[in-house]
């Protein structure tokens, strides 16, 4: 269900004050991302058809060579702004719900998906490059069992998600796994129990299990800042799939989000500043 963002904000604010109010219809967080990137790719295809591919399974376009050097200069900012419009609100929401700086979430999605234009993002809605390998909980607990094999550079099974919001939720579970939580300043104490509840029951922590059990109220406290989140995942021995990723370059992508935010001047309620 896609809702107009202007109609969503009263509901987003409501979930910060009442656990009962957080029971979304049908027990899920509604999709609030949009398709500005697809609109931009459709226009780009008209003037540079060799740059753009089409995916029949999802009826979405993608950039064949997802890097800045392959794009006309004037299109780089256009795609950045479109991705911000598509994904910022969902990252703000999940950042508030899980005490994670939303710009860190958005910057990682932008980097892994090249601003929402990669084949993987548009074939699988996997905006963070999340693999099945080493994550039994992603299928057994969260229910994301479908996969798509893609060379990276060797064949690897990437998780298929139904939408951008689902991939954000899974990414939060990835960065809040025990080996990353241990590197946060407080050891992740503010979120660890909620994550364990979700993995045990396969639902969001504010939802109710069949017997009527719930984790409790919404998570409280200051969001983990981008520097802390980047420190927890960048440079970790278990997180070595991105050969060009390190703390300095991950921080550069957060700075890119700040620049896009300033340029687009989108005035929406920011949960974490």
């Amino acid at each position: 269900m896609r809702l107009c963002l202007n109609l969503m904000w009263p509901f987003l604010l409501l979930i910060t004050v009442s656990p009962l109010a957080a029971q979304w219809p049908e027990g899920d967080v509604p999709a609030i991302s949009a398709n500005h990137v697809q609109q931009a790719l459709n226009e780009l295809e008209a003037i540079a058809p060799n740059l753009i591919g089409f995916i029949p399974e999802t009826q979405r376009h993608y950039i064949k060579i997802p890097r800045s050097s392959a794009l006309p200069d004037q299109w780089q900012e256009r795609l950045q702004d479109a991705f911000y419009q598509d994904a910022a609100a969902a990252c703000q929401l999940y950042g508030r719900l899980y005490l994670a700086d939303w710009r860190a979430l958005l910057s990682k999605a932008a980097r892994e998906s090249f601003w929402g234009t990669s084949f993987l993002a548009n074939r699988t809605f996997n905006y963070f490059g999340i693999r099945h390998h080493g994550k039994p909980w992603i299928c057994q607990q969260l229910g994301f069992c479908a996969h798509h094999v893609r060379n990276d550079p060797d064949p690897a099974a990437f998780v298929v998600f139904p939408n951008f919001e689902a991939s954000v939720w899974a990414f939060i579970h990835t960065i809040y796994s025990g080996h990353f939580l241990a590197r946060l300043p407080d050891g992740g104490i503010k979120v660890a129990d909620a994550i364990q509840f979700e993995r045990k029951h396969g639902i969001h922590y504010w939802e109710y299990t069949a017997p009527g059990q719930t984790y409790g109220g919404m998570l409280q406290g200051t969001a983990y800042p981008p520097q802390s989140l980047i420190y927890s995942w960048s440079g970790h021995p278990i997180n070595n799939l991105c050969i060009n990723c390190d703390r300095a370059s991950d921080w550069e992508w957060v700075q890119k989000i700040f620049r896009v935010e300033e340029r687009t001047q989108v005035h929406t309620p920011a949960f974490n500043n």
Side-chain angles (χ1 to χ4, degrees), residues 55-246:
I55 305 171
E57 293 88 347
T58 57
Q59 296 291 296
R60 295 169 73 88
H61 290 87
Y62 69 99
I63 291 181
K64 294 178 180 178
I65 304 175
R67 59 173 180 262
S68 297
S69 60
L71 285 176
D73 291 341
Q74 68 272 24
W75 279 89
Q76 294 187 35
E77 287 191 359
R78 170 70 188 281
L79 289 170
Q80 291 174 3
D81 295 351
F83 181 74
Y84 185 93
Q85 289 179 281
D86 283 351
C91 288
Q92 288 176 357
L93 171 59
Y94 276 84
R96 172 64 185 90
L97 292 170
Y98 291 91
L99 306 184
D101 184 276
W102 68 271
R103 295 179 184 91
L105 302 179
L106 186 61
S107 68
K108 195 63 173 176
R111 181 173 195 171
E112 292 289 341
S113 71
F114 190 64
W115 305 99
T117 68
S118 70
F119 174 89
L120 192 66
N122 288 290
R123 173 61 178 84
T124 68
F125 293 96
N126 189 334
Y127 285 78
F128 297 89
I130 300 173
R131 305 185 184 201
H132 267 295
H133 179 69
K135 302 179 183 69
W137 49 266
I138 208 159
C139 173
Q140 297 172 11
Q141 276 73 45
L142 302 190
F144 302 119
C145 299
H147 69 272
H148 179 79
V149 176
R150 186 79 171 161
N151 291 336
D152 190 43
D154 298 320
F158 289 91
V159 185
V160 175
F161 295 106
N163 51 43
F164 176 76
E165 289 78 6
S167 72
V168 178
W169 188 38
F171 178 65
I172 286 172
H173 267 262
T174 299
I175 64 174
Y176 282 169
S177 294
H179 48 273
F180 291 144
L181 283 180
R183 297 175 66 151
L184 290 175
D186 62 357
I189 192 171
K190 292 183 290 189
V191 298
D193 288 345
I195 292 299
Q196 288 305 309
F197 176 87
E198 292 193 345
R199 291 196 183 181
K200 179 179 179 180
H201 299 287
I203 58 176
H204 297 102
Y205 69 84
W206 59 86
E207 295 179 294
Y208 290 94
T209 64
Q213 178 185 3
T214 187
Y215 173 77
M218 308 306 292
L219 296 178
Q220 300 296 319
T222 304
Y224 294 112
Q227 295 92 335
S228 295
L229 294 174
I230 289 172
Y231 175 81
S232 71
W233 75 58
S234 289
H236 194 289
I238 203 171
N239 189 27
N240 59 357
L241 296 177
C242 180
I243 59 175
N244 297 318
C245 296
D246 54 31

Side-chain angles (χ1 to χ4, degrees), residues 8-22 24 218 271:
M8 279 296 302
W9 287 117
F11 291 97
L12 303 189
L13 297 175
L14 186 60
I15 64 175
T16 67
V17 298
S18 170
L20 293 177
W24 293 100
M218 308 306 292
F271 291 119

